[in-house]
Amino acid sequence: MSASVVITGTGIISALGMNGAETLDAFKHHRSGIQPIQYLKTRHKDVFPCGEVKASNDDLAQLTGLSPNLSRSIYLSYHAAREALSHLHVSRLSGLRVGFISASTVGGMDRTEQYFMSSLVDPKSGDVRDTRHHDCGKPTDFVFRQLGLKGFVSTISTACSSSANAMMMASRLLQSDRLDVVIAGGVDALTQFTLNGFNTLMIVDQKQCEPLDRDRRGLNLGEGAAYVVLMRKESAEELDLSAICHLSGYANTNDTFHQTALSEQGNGPFTAMTNALKKAALQPGDISYINMHGTGTQNNDLAEGNAIRRLFHPDYPPLSSTKSFTGHTLAASGGIEGVLSALAIQNGIIYPNYTFQEPVDSLEIRPETKIRTDKAVHHVLSNSFGFGGNCTSLIFSAS
Amino acid sequence: MIRKPIYIQGAGSISAQKTWDKTFLEDKFIKHSGNRWLCQEPDYSEWIDSRAIRRMSRVLQQCNVAAQLAMKECHLECPEAIIVGTAMGCLEDTWSFLSKMVHHQEEMLSPTAFIHSTHNTMASHLALHFKSFGHNCTFVHRNISFENALTDAILLLEEGEVSKVLVGGADEVTDISFDILSQLGQIRQVESVNSVPIPTNVSGWIAGEGASFFVLGNEQTTASYARLTEVGVYSGFDIEEIKQLAGKLLATIIPGKTIILAGHNGDASEDKITDEVLSKGNGQAPIFKYKTLCGEYGTSSSFALWMAAHMLKNQIRPTNSGFKLVENSDLDTVIIYHQTSQIHHSFILVERC
Amino acid sequence: MNELKENLKRQIVDQLNLKDIKPEDIGDDTPLFVEGLGLDSIDALEMIVLLQQQYGIKMVSSEEGPKVFRSVNSMAEFIESQKGSQ
């Protein structure tokens, strides 16, 4: 029997708010964070609404107390990691083997863009030092040091399942007794690179996205960061910390179908969910709520829906896609949805879809449309699927 | 503290040396000139389907062939898990999309470069190639990306849910990244002399690249190269703490039976740190500077692991010109030490099996 | 029309980096996807860019793709019809 891994702290920043309380408040008032672009410099500003964190880089520098001119990912990551650790001062970690595992797809791409935009126009202009922020490990290292940590640090990049994999890796390192405490999650800032990239795939919705809807048109991009603090149950008891929930199951699979599309029957998603349930020693009927990957693209929602049908039919638990509130935050999405799952258990909440009209023809899946607080939430299944067929499912369980 | 026996069952590498056909092991080392060492490459079209290759950047092709080489050696058709470490990811496609985005002012962009720019493209291409539906992960943490990938593989094999894992490290150097690194002053500004070892009394290093892949498994077979016994990664410590940690590891050296493959990259200030850390070994084992063969890149320790595997299996040791047989077949352990920029220090220990 | 088709074949080979196919290997009615040239959904997106870059035609959704990109003939017809409507 492997050691039980608990979550003792969470931190989250997204279009819905700067912390956990603001995030829950947005759900309570059914307020979507998807708005016309306010901060990102792009010619598509008025075309694609996005889930931006409602703060400029200067605001974020001030809020975090960090110096100006860092990459946006650093601000977001540090802010969320600090909230996750707010219940546990770093001094209490001395003598413990601590790890920080983050996730990213763009690193400090915003700074690289600045350099390219200047230097490609005039080779003599632009500050090449901007590119020092480029790689995905940079924000992780910066935050690792800023938090005063030493020991184990890592960054995972598996597209949209990145931070789900960060949490999974954390749990495995704890269970194998290689680390005692891990802060795990991920970050992605919205950049021109990603917005334009997704636009070339013609899967970005020009309106508020409508995941799981028959008439869905695509995804909205978002940004943010989220982390959880994980440790073995005994460590939490020794530190006198109460557990918010357990990370009871996880599985990482590959759909192995196409570089940017899931197989229609959702083979990778099906295996990820099935194996995560097995890991948690649970039956489909035990799941209280599914936080779907639910991007709002034709392909994802059909594949994920089919996989859910294969596993849960005919008794579907309540389910929804919170991306209709946050936008798709890419490498951060598994972290954001992991934190939302933990908060769902802690507060007895089931999140709704922002909108929903008609189900997909071949599927019976109808997401919740209003926030629910009428039932205890014991086990939450959180899905994160990405380009390259990377599929990861996590299960969070009440302690 | 690896808790189950883990063996290197297959190894494939594309590097600045002729590792892909293994003539590297017999011939004199290739001495490159200039400060950017490109890979010695096979004809990829002999290895990769023409429909697939048309969209693949060089690093993707390198990954594909290095992985195929490793898989072939142990007659494995489908790995149960695929794990890749890459410090910088698919740079060629990243720069390509970024440059077009700026030049075309965010209009009329094509998707292929974007799709292939994501860091997980290497591992997902391999999943498609080998039809592997299992665990698939990509680590992107600077000069410990490959070590992180190894750690994930070790965990998987310890957990016992899989018995064979394909794991590798890959990075590419492109025109734009070389130009950026040069402007940042990280690349050696003086022309390198074609010599091994590289003179180390100057500032800056030599940019390298490569892809090295391994099949790791719990079983020892006659084809197994060596046993992986430790992957130690230490981040954020000051030099004195690192020296202490290194001291513990290096204390296990048995004189005459150990060789250290050290990650000196030729930059005077970097190499001073590397020397200081390795001084804890008290000169008990000969040190070979492996980056004099492959150049500096984030996942260069994967090249060193390929070397270590062959050194142990064939009982050979590198000299300044080429490999030589070890006297009395006395080589039991190879220790790989890799550090850049002094933040992350890694040790990989491999033993004869 | 013939010149348009020849140009299209060349442009398809270039844009999609089709290594062992020559423009003259593509018949006017050769299916471009699956059983024909074996192109896929990423190629469809590339061809949408091709139409925009070379012919100034902007396709707003990828849904028209399968019909338009069935063959060089269907592409040529689509381009002509767009010219007519502009």
Side-chain angles (χ1 to χ4, degrees), chain A residues 39-52:
Chain A
Y39 300 100
L40 180 72
K41 281 187 196 135
T42 166
R43 72 182 299 163
H44 307 301
K45 196 171 184 296
D46 302 319
V47 182
F48 299 113
C50 286
E52 285 182 299

Side-chain angles (χ1 to χ4, degrees), chain B residues 50-51 53-55 61 104 107-113 115-116, chain C residues 15-20 37-38 40 42-43 45-46 49 52-53:
Chain B
S50 62
R51 278 188 190 167
I53 208 169
R54 68 195 169 99
R55 292 189 189 132
Q61 298 179 30
H104 299 176
E107 292 284 359
M108 287 194 276
L109 295 167
S110 63
T112 302
I115 291 167
H116 289 79
Chain C
Q15 181 89 13
L16 306 183
N17 196 20
L18 297 173
K19 288 198 183 283
D20 45 10
L37 287 191
D40 65 12
I42 299 174
D43 295 308
L45 293 168
E46 287 286 352
V49 179
Q52 198 182 351
Q53 282 177 343

Side-chain angles (χ1 to χ4, degrees), chain A residues 181-391:
Chain A
V181 177
V182 188
I183 302 111
V187 59
D188 254 339
L190 191 64
T191 65
Q192 269 195 23
F193 189 90
T194 27
L195 179 61
N196 280 285
F198 277 86
N199 189 28
T200 65
L201 302 173
M202 302 180 89
I203 53 172
V204 189
D205 197 337
Q206 300 191 3
K207 298 181 190 154
Q208 158 78 44
C209 67
E210 298 186 289
L212 313 177
D213 203 284
R214 188 188 63 193
D215 301 322
R216 64 199 182 282
R217 295 164 304 270
L219 54 79
N220 301 135
L221 288 169
E223 63 178 354
Y227 295 93
V228 295
V229 177
L230 297 145
M231 60 187 80
R232 286 180 300 279
K233 198 178 168 196
E234 311 84 74
S235 311
E237 283 162 5
E238 278 161 30
L239 287 165
D240 203 21
L241 298 171
S242 56
I244 296 169
C245 63
H246 284 76
L247 178 54
S248 57
Y250 47 74
N252 165 327
T253 66
N254 197 288
D255 189 52
T256 312
F257 173 71
H258 189 272
Q259 199 65 31
T260 58
L262 290 168
S263 58
E264 189 169 316
Q265 289 307 307
N267 294 327
F270 176 78
T271 322
M273 288 187 283
T274 306
N275 294 354
L277 281 165
K278 204 170 117 195
K279 184 85 197 165
L282 294 173
Q283 298 298 316
D286 295 325
I287 297 296
S288 323
Y289 164 62
I290 306 176
N291 188 300
M292 290 178 65
H293 186 54
T295 58
T297 64
Q298 284 293 327
N299 174 254
N300 177 81
D301 295 2
L302 181 63
E304 186 178 14
N306 276 329
I308 287 174
R309 184 172 49 77
R310 286 165 68 188
L311 194 56
F312 289 91
H313 183 80
D315 296 314
Y316 296 92
L319 47 83
S320 67
S321 165
T322 47
K323 288 190 178 70
S324 56
F325 287 82
T326 59
H328 189 354
T329 58
L330 307 176
S333 68
I336 284 176
E337 288 157 33
V339 168
L340 289 177
S341 301
L343 295 177
I345 291 169
Q346 190 178 33
N347 299 287
I349 294 172
I350 287 172
Y351 308 101
N353 252 41
Y354 185 66
T355 58
F356 183 73
Q357 310 288 332
E358 291 294 327
V360 177
D361 287 337
S362 58
L363 298 171
E364 307 101 59
I365 291 175
R366 288 178 169 274
E368 299 301 312
T369 53
K370 291 202 174 88
I371 190 164
R372 279 176 65 174
T373 51
D374 59 328
K375 64 175 241 174
V377 180
H378 299 294
H379 303 285
V380 178
L381 171 64
S382 174
N383 284 339
S384 298
F385 309 138
F387 276 6
N390 281 117
C391 298

